Amino acid sequence: MSNDEIFAAAYREHYWAVSRYVARRLDGRAGEVEEVVAEVFTVAWRRRADLPGSPLPWLYGVARNCLANAVRGHGRRRRLVDRLGNDESAHGRHMVDSPDAESPGAWVHEALGRLSETDQEVLRLTAWEELDIDEVAVALGCGRRAAAMRLHRARRRLRAEIDRMRPPLKTGAATKEHDHG
């Protein structure tokens, strides 16, 4: 198969997986998803001779880099808008969530959000993208042992964040009931 045919097959087979990968990381900024995915496949087209036999983890690695560029660009635009005084609050548009707006599992996302970007990414690659450790290593651009260690440490830090978020059990209330009963 030619490099063009290999690229075309990778595009057909993995377009939606890459789109989901990008969309989950640009939560709330859906307008940028197509732009980032297009950039991923533009890079893949330019480097089609480098596409590995299992291209999805490699495409995730390219997507990570494209996302980093998009996030930096978003930050620059946001700072420019802030400097110009053209933010939403200046125009009277300020959104407030209702108290019942918390979605199921929001606490998991909150705990994940407290971790470093590196920890978040290794956890997402295994949980959301369902990559095995060898594929995670390809996506992160590191060796298998380094990827396994990153995953182990990220899981440990996530567990610690979840434990910190969990309210302490009220053991005193249960004890008082038994005293009166």
Side-chain angles (χ1 to χ4, degrees):
M1 224 181 338
S2 74
N3 288 339
D4 291 358
E5 292 168 328
I6 291 169
F7 170 82
Y11 180 84
R12 280 191 308 272
E13 187 174 344
H14 301 299
Y15 177 85
W16 290 112
V18 171
S19 293
R20 288 188 302 271
Y21 173 93
V22 170
R24 285 190 286 259
R25 283 153 182 82
L26 288 177
D27 187 40
R29 299 194 335 244
E32 295 179 56
V33 172
E34 286 182 32
E35 187 177 318
V36 172
V37 172
E39 180 63 23
V40 170
F41 284 102
T42 299
V43 170
W45 171 255
R46 275 187 257 142
R47 296 186 53 202
R48 63 191 177 277
D50 299 332
L51 278 171
S54 295
L56 186 58
W58 184 85
L59 289 168
Y60 286 157
V62 172
R64 280 184 69 230
N65 293 331
C66 292
L67 280 163
N69 291 337
V71 167
R72 281 191 297 274
H74 180 75
R76 284 191 298 269
R77 284 188 302 278
R78 183 77 239 154
R79 286 188 298 277
L80 177 61
V81 166
D82 288 345
R83 277 197 311 271
L84 295 173
N86 193 20
D87 63 4
E88 291 179 352
S89 61
H91 295 286
R93 291 189 304 260
H94 186 57
M95 301 294 285
V96 177
D97 286 337
S98 68
D100 60 344
E102 186 172 308
S103 60
W107 61 272
V108 174
H109 293 284
E110 182 181 343
L112 187 64
R114 294 179 181 191
L115 301 177
S116 71
E117 282 298 320
T118 305
D119 285 349
Q120 289 181 41
E121 186 60 12
V122 72
L123 292 167
R124 289 173 179 152
L125 286 169
T126 56
W128 290 355
E129 308 331 319
E130 299 178 354
L131 297 186
D132 65 31
I133 202 66
D134 292 321
E135 294 168 324
V136 168
V138 171
L140 295 178
C142 64
R144 183 187 198 290
R145 291 184 65 172
M149 185 56 70
R150 287 182 190 180
L151 178 59
H152 172 75
R153 289 178 178 158
R155 284 178 174 160
R156 191 177 65 220
R157 286 190 276 264
L158 180 61
R159 167 56 43 208
E161 282 302 323
I162 290 170
D163 289 345
R164 270 195 280 284
M165 290 172 57
R166 186 181 307 145
L169 294 174
K170 300 203 190 265
T171 55
T175 308
K176 286 180 184 175
E177 286 179 19
H178 291 293
D179 292 344
H180 296 300

